[in-house]
Amino acid sequence: MTTYQKHCDFVTEPMGEKPVGCLAGIGDVLSKKLEDMGFHKAYMVLGQFLVMKKDECLFREWLQDTCGANARQSQDCFDCLREWCDTFL
Amino acid sequence: MTNYISTKLRTFLGEPMGEKCVAFVDGVDKDLAIRLMSFGFDKAYVLLGQYLLMHKKEDDFQMWLMLRCGATQQEAQKISICLREWCSTFI
């Protein structure tokens, strides 16, 4: 599945109990690292995004520090959550 | 959850929270809102973020509200219920 498809799939419906790996930018490796840190569900990463007041720099830096996401991955994840919030929050 | 739903709760649950101030969350009165804002929880969605970070565990969240933010038990319960119900509809 492409990142674009993953993004579209995520932002077009409520996230419910989707696993963290459903987020655009979060593949198998990052997913495992996030789960090891306690972030099993996409809504938990959303929680982090929200307490950081949806700040792009803060969130992307957190993602990079927490699970080693690169610039592309953190951008994809940020864009995914931002668009989801624009629609559902 | 009791059968009675306050107007504040019904209003909050009826739509996305968007950029609503934290004071719109059911259970948050003026004094608590000021304290929450002083801690950085100025918007309802920021408080929602804390709830989600605590894995939506209501007991833990209520305890945090009481110990960290000075909420009463009743306030903490109302806030927790409000966010739980909002999540069940919109998340």
Side-chain angles (χ1 to χ4, degrees):
Chain A
M1 184 186 292
T2 65
T3 298
Y4 176 73
Q5 185 62 51
K6 206 170 178 183
H7 176 96
C8 290
D9 287 352
F10 193 87
V11 302
T12 51
E13 60 182 11
M15 66 178 73
E17 298 293 318
K18 285 181 181 177
V20 67
C22 285
L23 285 162
I26 308 299
D28 291 342
V29 174
L30 296 186
S31 178
K32 176 68 168 64
K33 290 182 181 179
L34 284 167
E35 287 168 3
D36 287 345
M37 299 293 291
F39 293 87
H40 306 96
K41 303 283 188 179
Y43 75 72
M44 297 172 185
V45 180
L46 172 66
Q48 185 69 37
F49 178 73
L50 296 180
V51 296
M52 292 183 149
K53 304 192 177 183
K54 303 185 244 179
D55 183 274
E56 179 169 358
C57 290
L58 279 177
F59 178 74
R60 290 181 61 191
E61 185 176 344
W62 170 82
L63 199 59
Q64 289 164 16
D65 290 345
T66 300
C67 65
N70 61 33
R72 180 73 260 166
Q73 291 165 328
S74 65
Q75 182 73 62
D76 289 341
C77 187
F78 171 80
D79 289 343
C80 186
L81 287 173
R82 180 182 58 187
E83 189 167 332
W84 188 93
C85 286
D86 286 346
T87 304
F88 294 101
L89 190 66
Chain B
M1 193 170 165
T2 63
N3 292 328
Y4 171 73
I5 299 177
S6 68
T7 301
K8 189 173 182 180
L9 178 59
R10 187 184 307 113
T11 302
F12 192 83
L13 297 182
E15 58 186 6
M17 64 177 67
E19 297 293 318
K20 284 181 182 175
C21 172
V22 71
F24 282 83
V25 177
D26 188 44
V28 179
D29 68 2
K30 180 183 172 184
D31 291 339
L32 182 54
I34 290 171
R35 284 200 298 280
L36 285 167
M37 286 182 213
S38 73
F39 294 137
F41 295 89
D42 52 343
K43 304 278 188 181
Y45 74 72
V46 187
L47 195 58
L48 171 67
Q50 182 67 28
Y51 175 66
L52 298 178
L53 271 181
M54 301 185 88
H55 301 195
K56 297 192 267 183
K57 292 180 180 175
E58 291 188 56
D59 288 349
D60 291 349
F61 182 64
Q62 290 176 29
M63 190 62 63
W64 175 82
L65 283 168
M66 290 189 282
L67 295 178
R68 180 73 175 91
C69 309
T72 66
Q73 184 175 22
Q74 185 180 35
E75 289 170 335
Q77 286 175 345
K78 290 173 83 171
I79 293 167
S80 178
I81 289 170
C82 182
L83 293 178
R84 181 193 71 205
E85 293 301 313
W86 190 94
C87 284
S88 69
T89 302
F90 293 100
I91 293 274

